[in-house]
Amino acid sequence: MALTPVCLFLVVDEKQVMILVWDDETDSHVVAAGTVEHLVEHLANEDRPDPGYVKTFLMGYRHFMKADDLIDRLLARFSLELPEESTDEEKEYVEKWGLVVQLRTVDVLTQWMERCWFDFHDKQFMLTRVDLFIDELRASDNGVFKSLAESLKKVKDKKIEEETKKIEAAKCVKREELSSLSFDDFTAHQLAKQLTLTELAYLKALEPSEFIRQLWDKRPGSKEERKKALSPNICEYVNHFNRVCFWVGTNVLSYQDARTRAACVEKMIEMAK
């Protein structure tokens, strides 16, 4: 019985460009390492789709490249432009697999926008590149591409609408925080409810990539600057947590006598429950 190799090495022009290892769960080889060029190419692999790889790549690619570099490489993958002196093998590849690669490239871009909209939000270069690509698809004579253009446009519009709602929700939270009402004006249940709603706004803003291997430890600049740039929502949540802790201590100590302080502590405990 033939044994499946545990590890495969993809070699191009006598250079090792990708390493594949055997995965018992999927019963196939999966990507373990590779050059940036071939890792991006594998996102829209012509042989077979690899949704697990796409998901993993989108979560971790920021370790070795930036979003604007990825979108340029991804759209170049879609173009499939042959060099002037292309070989017959290259021409045959484009003729056989060109449409498949293009469709899977659009699918990867769609997944990227749906899973990692923070790579696009408030980033004019990224949004412009998406808009130009949508226009390119619309201008195509291929009806499938026109349909894909409208799908991309819907995803983009939906994400922008969701971000607008988040901003409005955040404004509401800030107005509540600035309220002139005091601690004694609310029951423990009312306070717990409002704190829960406030916590929800911060937690919903957290993005998966902010938790990956503390990216701020691997970038130039001070640690605080890296944290704010790479994990802004985590930083906001930590600051919120510290403010709540300070608020609890301040409220307890604001009362002069021990009895009212004890009552305040009991109310805080009830609120926490």
Side-chain angles (χ1 to χ4, degrees), residues 230-249:
L230 296 168
S231 301
N233 296 306
I234 288 181
C235 291
E236 281 295 320
Y237 184 65
V238 170
N239 291 335
H240 164 71
F241 175 82
N242 291 334
R243 286 194 296 269
V244 171
C245 292
F246 180 78
W247 169 73
V248 170

Side-chain angles (χ1 to χ4, degrees), residues 124-185:
Q124 193 56 48
F125 175 82
M126 298 291 290
L127 294 174
T128 300
R129 293 292 278 124
V130 172
D131 286 338
L132 290 174
F133 183 58
I134 290 174
D135 291 341
E136 179 184 338
L137 293 176
R138 282 173 170 168
S140 171
D141 294 330
N142 191 319
V144 175
F145 287 172
K146 292 180 183 291
S147 176
L148 291 173
E150 298 311 313
S151 296
L152 282 174
K153 182 70 165 55
K154 287 180 180 178
V155 172
K156 180 193 169 190
D157 291 344
K158 178 184 175 183
K159 289 297 180 181
I160 290 176
E161 182 181 357
E162 288 175 355
E163 288 298 330
T164 302
K165 290 180 179 178
K166 283 184 182 179
I167 293 171
E168 292 302 319
K171 289 179 180 178
C172 292
V173 170
K174 289 179 180 178
R175 283 198 294 270
E176 289 177 5
E177 290 176 346
L178 295 174
S179 172
S180 60
L181 296 173
S182 69
F183 178 75
D184 294 326
D185 294 322

Side-chain angles (χ1 to χ4, degrees), residues 5-197:
V6 175
C7 189
L8 292 178
F9 299 90
L10 178 61
V11 177
V12 176
D13 296 332
E14 299 183 353
K15 293 182 179 179
Q16 183 176 300
V17 297
M18 188 170 287
I19 302 174
L20 306 175
V21 296
W22 183 257
D23 181 21
D24 290 330
E25 291 187 7
T26 60
D27 199 31
S28 63
H29 282 95
V30 296
V31 177
T35 63
V36 171
E37 177 185 0
H38 286 83
L39 290 175
V40 173
E41 283 185 3
H42 195 71
L43 289 169
N45 184 25
E46 70 278 3
D47 185 24
R48 62 181 178 84
D50 192 347
Y53 171 76
V54 173
K55 183 178 179 180
T56 302
F57 182 95
L58 292 176
M59 287 288 288
Y61 80 87
R62 298 160 196 82
H63 285 286
F64 52 86
M65 67 189 305
K66 295 182 178 179
D68 52 358
D69 185 21
L70 175 57
I71 196 169
D72 283 342
R73 290 176 179 271
L74 199 59
L75 297 186
R77 175 71 166 152
F78 177 87
S79 298
L80 287 173
E81 294 180 357
L82 288 171
E84 292 183 3
E85 299 180 358
S86 56
T87 63
D88 291 339
E89 185 179 358
E90 290 172 331
K91 292 177 181 178
E92 183 181 346
Y93 171 85
V94 171
E95 183 177 350
K96 180 179 181 180
W97 296 109
L99 182 59
V100 174
V101 169
Q102 289 177 319
L103 293 177
R104 289 179 180 169
T105 300
V106 175
D107 181 62
V108 171
L109 179 58
T110 303
Q111 289 188 55
W112 187 12
M113 293 169 64
E114 289 177 338
R115 297 176 185 273
C116 310
W117 181 248
F118 48 87
D119 283 336
F120 299 84
H121 176 58
D122 273 350
K123 295 179 176 61
Q124 193 56 48
F125 175 82
M126 298 291 290
L127 294 174
T128 300
R129 293 292 278 124
V130 172
D131 286 338
L132 290 174
F133 183 58
I134 290 174
D135 291 341
E136 179 184 338
L137 293 176
R138 282 173 170 168
S140 171
D141 294 330
N142 191 319
V144 175
F145 287 172
K146 292 180 183 291
S147 176
L148 291 173
E150 298 311 313
S151 296
L152 282 174
K153 182 70 165 55
K154 287 180 180 178
V155 172
K156 180 193 169 190
D157 291 344
K158 178 184 175 183
K159 289 297 180 181
I160 290 176
E161 182 181 357
E162 288 175 355
E163 288 298 330
T164 302
K165 290 180 179 178
K166 283 184 182 179
I167 293 171
E168 292 302 319
K171 289 179 180 178
C172 292
V173 170
K174 289 179 180 178
R175 283 198 294 270
E176 289 177 5
E177 290 176 346
L178 295 174
S179 172
S180 60
L181 296 173
S182 69
F183 178 75
D184 294 326
D185 294 322
F186 299 94
T187 65
H189 178 76
Q190 289 173 326
L191 289 168
K193 183 178 180 179
Q194 292 304 313
L195 275 175
T196 300
L197 293 173

Side-chain angles (χ1 to χ4, degrees), residues 243-256:
R243 286 194 296 269
V244 171
C245 292
F246 180 78
W247 169 73
V248 170
T250 301
N251 263 303
V252 172
L253 295 176
S254 66
Y255 297 98
Q256 299 299 317

